Amino acid sequence: MATASKKTTSDVKLVEPLVLIGEPSALCGTLNLENAGAERKALRDLKLTQVPAKGGRGTKAKVSEPALAVDLPRVKIRAGARKAVPLTVALKPSTPPGIYTMSFPLDGADHQAQVIVTEVVDFEVSPPEVFVVGKKGAKVEKLMTFQNHGNVPVTIPAIGAVQLDLDEIHCRAQRATLKKLEDTERTLDDVMRAMSLSYEAELASFAPLKVTNEAITLEAGQAASQIWTFQIPSKIPVRVETTAFIRILSETVTARILAV
């Protein structure tokens, strides 16, 4: 008795290659399918799995880290129909940017997909605001914590000197100008000269804030903490609050300085 031959072709096929693009947590693409068979199909257990990278001669093939795998939704498609299935999948948040080749089974046949992971810079520093209060020249220590939620390394540099944001300098300089002038001296030239001298005096009364820390690089997904030392300027008016903005990548640490 002759035995029935096994089916070697798939009824459901890809109309075009699957490409997923985006950040690791939101890779988007469209699965375009065609059911050339005579029966309705329900596709289950669809899973994207990273294809092992090919090693050179004499080396074993290995999967680049981290190994990637993600489940796809169940798909139903009528006989003789085409269907476009929008996909949004998520990989590990720390998956490095790059182009990955992944495979998935489809109605008994294996297919490949291209996964393009884009760069994500997501860095958090805490606390975002510190208060530095003390005598002129005093050193104040603050515990700072950092978290890299992105997929690329981030470097926190050694900060050093930070210029103060003198948001009230105009008011103080103008008040000082008016005190220096008498009614009989208030010509335009006298006012401009006095104002220039007042601004120079105000600027000379402030020195930069000094921040001491060690440079550190955080890998994707890594967290760390450091002690930062803030030195109150030796040249700063007493009881005049000033601000320094310390910018690190997309984050800003605001330092409020008050000499007492």
Side-chain angles (χ1 to χ4, degrees):
M1 178 184 292
T3 57
S5 59
K6 293 184 179 180
K7 181 181 176 180
T8 59
T9 60
S10 303
D11 290 335
V12 181
K13 300 179 180 180
L14 283 177
V15 177
E16 57 186 45
L18 174 60
V19 179
L20 298 168
I21 303 175
E23 300 180 0
S25 59
L27 289 150
C28 299
T30 302
L31 184 62
N32 290 289
L33 303 174
E34 179 182 25
N35 183 3
E39 298 179 354
R40 180 173 176 269
K41 288 281 186 176
L43 307 176
R44 302 178 177 85
D45 301 324
L46 298 180
K47 186 170 186 175
L48 284 170
T49 306
Q50 187 174 355
V51 176
K54 294 182 179 180
R57 289 186 177 182
T59 61
K60 295 181 179 180
K62 62 179 181 179
V63 177
S64 57
E65 293 294 334
L68 307 178
V70 62
D71 294 326
L72 299 180
R74 180 182 300 182
V75 178
K76 296 180 180 179
I77 181 171
R78 299 190 307 273
R82 286 191 174 190
K83 189 170 188 178
V85 183
L87 296 179
T88 300
V89 302
L91 301 177
K92 295 179 181 179
S94 59
T95 302
I99 301 175
Y100 298 86
T101 299
M102 302 185 76
S103 66
F104 63 100
L106 184 63
D107 198 25
D110 286 332
H111 296 269
Q112 288 194 346
Q114 188 179 63
V115 177
I116 303 174
V117 179
T118 58
E119 179 178 297
V120 178
V121 178
D122 187 359
F123 171 70
E124 180 182 357
V125 57
S126 181
E129 185 176 38
V130 295
F131 293 86
V132 182
V133 181
K135 295 183 180 298
K136 294 182 181 182
K139 296 181 178 180
V140 179
E141 293 185 342
K142 299 289 183 179
L143 176 63
M144 309 297 295
T145 61
F146 317 98
Q147 290 183 299
N148 183 3
H149 302 295
N151 64 349
V152 291
V154 297
T155 297
I156 303 162
I159 305 301
V162 182
Q163 294 296 327
L164 302 180
D165 185 62
L166 307 178
D167 52 353
E168 296 181 2
I169 188 173
H170 302 295
C171 295
R172 291 195 299 271
Q174 290 169 16
R175 287 197 298 267
T177 299
L178 293 175
K179 288 181 180 179
K180 293 177 182 178
L181 293 173
E182 297 180 359
D183 291 340
T184 57
E185 295 178 339
R186 292 185 181 181
T187 65
L188 180 59
D189 288 342
D190 291 333
V191 170
M192 295 304 296
R193 186 179 300 108
M195 184 170 292
S196 176
L197 293 173
S198 296
Y199 270 98
E200 289 180 6
E202 281 292 331
L203 291 173
S205 66
F206 289 89
L209 172 71
K210 293 182 180 179
V211 182
T212 303
N213 70 299
E214 293 185 3
I216 183 175
T217 297
L218 273 66
E219 299 298 327
Q222 186 179 1
S225 61
Q226 275 188 339
I227 297 293
W228 283 14
T229 301
F230 298 82
Q231 185 173 10
I232 299 175
S234 57
K235 293 173 59 178
I236 187 173
V238 175
R239 299 294 179 183
V240 175
E241 183 177 312
T242 56
T243 305
F245 298 104
I246 304 168
R247 292 179 175 83
I248 307 171
L249 297 176
S250 58
E251 295 297 296
T252 299
V253 176
T254 301
R256 308 286 185 186
I257 306 103
L258 181 65
V260 296

